[in-house]
Amino acid sequence: MKFATKTIHAGIEPDPSTGAIMTPIFQTSTYAQEGSGNHKGFEYARTQNPTRSALEKNLAALENGTDAICFGSGLAAMDAVMKLLKPNDEIISTNDLYGGSYRQMVRVYEPFGLKPKFVDMSDPKSVEKIITKNTKLLWIETPTNPMLNIVDIEKICKIAKKHNILTCVDNTFASPYLQNPLDLGADIVLHSATKYIGGHSDVVHGCLIVKDAELAAKLHFIQNACGAVPGPMDCFLILRGIKTLHIRVQRACENAAIVAKFLKKHPKVSSVNYPGFKSHPGHKIAKAQMRDFGAMVSFDLKSDSFENAQKVLSNTHLFTCAESLGGVESLIGHPASMTHASIPKEERMKVGLTDSLIRLSIGIEDVDDLIEDLEKALEQI
Ligand SMILES: *Cc1c(COP(=O)(O)O)cnc(C)c1O
């Protein structure tokens, strides 16, 4: 089955009791048993829920995995992966990791004895250099936020295999439509389904996808034992969002390419981070491992100042100033004061995250209107 067909059909059957075409929202905490242990495969809704099961089958198909495990948020999904580790295990991740993932590794799991280390993962040699016998997990994110750096998934996974280390790829920014890390050798794929998979900015949700039965069993065990499960209504909304994933992301990518070109030519813009440009250091890798270059773009202003960035943000009308990404509507953000405010300025500047960097999540509106909106806002500085 091809991707566009999977989004609509994988894991989805008309409801056997009524013929309902859409998977019902099974809003129940428990299920009748004919006698103790004699049931229809569902005992208690932390353990199994039919709406969630349909979504898990669908997500597994989208990432070419065998099992998906759903959680109440992307960070709850990550939390389950952390629980595969033991005190003194080392994690290697990228130095421009999503802030929430960094916070969980450092502020929640370091006190429990896990040892996260951060390097520039776009350089695989620097990863291999710091591997020790205690390294148990390589945590990959690509493209990264907000600098849009690209990590070579296949290369990093090869290094991991050589040293018998587990790999997890946070595939949130790309979505399964653009990139399938299991096919490139990864063990686990993570999504914040809050973003492109849900696609409508109306639900917080996360998932893991794997293709190894033993790993799936461990993660299912953690999901049930720790209980960070999503509700059936949220699973229904994610299933509904997925039906248009391919056309949403396709259009958003088309719009992003046009907006990136417009910004690059703009006299008030000093640089544009977009992996679709040949001049982007990760362009070749992105071209090889992604189907398109994504719909996230960040750019910097020539008049490098906090105030001018704020002026742009407060003068767009279609681009709403907000956290998050991946919805049908375009969003604009200022990483230095929003998503990355907790990172010291010196650290931020090292990766090019200046006071005037602006991040865009390009939606699926008419691109002419998006450009007009940015043009007018840039006139204000
Ligand atoms: C949003 C996000 C997360 C966290 O997901 P939540 O659903 O907000 O918990 C993790 N990784 C990336 C790249 C994200 O953008």
Side-chain angles (χ1 to χ4, degrees):
M1 215 188 274
K2 298 262 175 68
F3 191 87
T5 314
K6 284 188 207 170
T7 60
I8 294 159
H9 293 286
I12 315 292
E13 298 285 346
D15 175 47
S17 63
T18 61
I21 287 282
M22 287 302 120
T23 309
I25 302 163
F26 284 92
Q27 193 73 52
T28 185
S29 65
T30 191
Y31 309 86
Q33 305 191 14
E34 303 245 328
S36 132
N38 182 7
H39 53 76
K40 300 183 162 72
F42 297 92
E43 294 155 278
Y44 183 64
R46 173 167 26 75
T47 319
Q48 317 100 342
N49 176 284
T51 318
R52 193 172 92 212
S53 302
L55 173 60
E56 288 176 339
K57 282 192 192 123
N58 185 269
L59 287 165
L62 295 186
E63 282 288 11
N64 302 325
T66 53
D67 282 76
I69 304 105
C70 287
F71 295 89
S73 71
L75 288 180
M78 173 183 178
D79 183 66
V81 178
M82 294 295 119
K83 285 170 176 154
L84 293 169
L85 303 176
K86 293 190 306 296
N88 294 318
D89 285 354
E90 291 171 8
I91 307 163
I92 299 174
S93 190
T94 189
N95 59 6
D96 58 348
L97 186 64
Y98 170 72
S101 308
Y102 175 86
R103 182 177 57 197
Q104 184 175 122
M105 283 182 198
V106 171
R107 299 201 34 208
V108 179
Y109 280 104
E110 228 169 28
F112 280 99
L114 301 189
K115 306 239 157 72
K117 298 193 221 169
F118 303 94
V119 288
D120 175 8
M121 269 199 163
S122 59
D123 172 21
K125 282 197 197 87
S126 67
V127 174
E128 190 148 30
K129 230 185 264 169
I130 61 167
I131 288 175
T132 74
K133 63 175 186 353
N134 290 332
T135 308
K136 294 290 150 67
L137 175 66
L138 300 191
W139 188 274
I140 302 162
E141 189 184 311
T142 182
T144 62
N145 173 31
M147 301 313 294
L148 286 315
N149 288 318
I150 301 292
V151 177
D152 189 328
I153 299 174
E154 199 164 16
K155 257 200 192 137
I156 299 281
C157 291
K158 265 201 190 122
I159 294 172
K161 289 259 145 53
K162 202 166 90 188
H163 297 269
N164 205 16
I165 301 169
L166 199 66
T167 46
C168 179
V169 178
D170 183 337
N171 204 24
T172 301
F173 263 42
S175 90
Y177 173 69
L178 294 181
Q179 181 170 281
N180 299 119
L182 297 180
D183 295 347
L184 301 167
D187 297 309
I188 307 173
V189 175
L190 174 142
H191 283 282
S192 166
T194 314
K195 317 293 169 53
Y196 287 103
I197 290 184
H200 295 75
S201 307
D202 52 7
V203 55
V204 172
H205 186 105
C207 60
L208 302 172
I209 301 117
V210 298
K211 57 176 182 189
D212 174 78
E214 201 182 320
L215 189 53
K218 281 185 192 166
L219 291 167
H220 273 296
F221 173 81
I222 293 168
Q223 179 199 41
N224 184 49
C226 300
V229 293
M233 177 72 189
D234 288 354
C235 293
F236 172 85
L237 285 171
I238 297 292
L239 268 173
R240 175 191 243 247
I242 287 172
K243 292 180 201 300
T244 54
L245 176 66
H246 50 306
I247 46 181
R248 281 188 287 107
V249 179
Q250 183 183 29
R251 175 61 64 84
C253 287
E254 285 167 16
N255 284 353
I258 297 168
V259 169
K261 271 187 209 135
F262 156 78
L263 288 169
K264 203 176 186 187
K265 280 192 290 199
H266 199 283
K268 290 181 181 168
V269 172
S270 61
S271 62
V272 181
N273 303 309
Y274 172 64
F277 290 143
K278 284 207 176 81
S279 55
H280 186 289
H283 177 74
K284 270 203 186 130
I285 299 162
K287 202 167 173 182
Q289 72 189 12
M290 300 172 75
R291 287 180 198 93
D292 201 335
F293 300 102
M296 297 300 295
V297 175
S298 62
F299 65 102
D300 214 331
L301 300 174
K302 276 199 181 130
S303 54
D304 173 12
S305 84
F306 197 92
E307 290 70 32
N308 280 330
Q310 291 293 354
K311 248 184 214 161
V312 175
L313 258 78
S314 53
N315 280 290
T316 54
H317 300 287
L318 292 175
F319 281 90
T320 307
C321 174
E323 310 257 358
S324 200
L325 60 119
V328 289
E329 67 290 317
S330 294
L331 299 180
I332 187 165
H334 182 232
S337 67
M338 294 167 72
T339 46
H340 293 65
S342 61
I343 300 173
K345 184 165 176 177
E346 290 148 47
E347 290 299 310
R348 279 200 275 117
M349 296 301 280
K350 271 187 213 159
V351 294
L353 208 165
T354 63
D355 281 349
S356 50
L357 187 83
I358 294 171
R359 186 188 89 172
L360 303 176
S361 168
I362 313 284
I364 63 170
E365 300 95 334
D366 190 294
V367 73
D368 293 344
D369 291 327
L370 295 180
I371 285 177
E372 190 185 318
D373 198 36
L374 290 171
E375 179 87 80
K376 284 194 174 142
L378 284 163
E379 270 168 25
Q380 302 303 312
I381 55 173

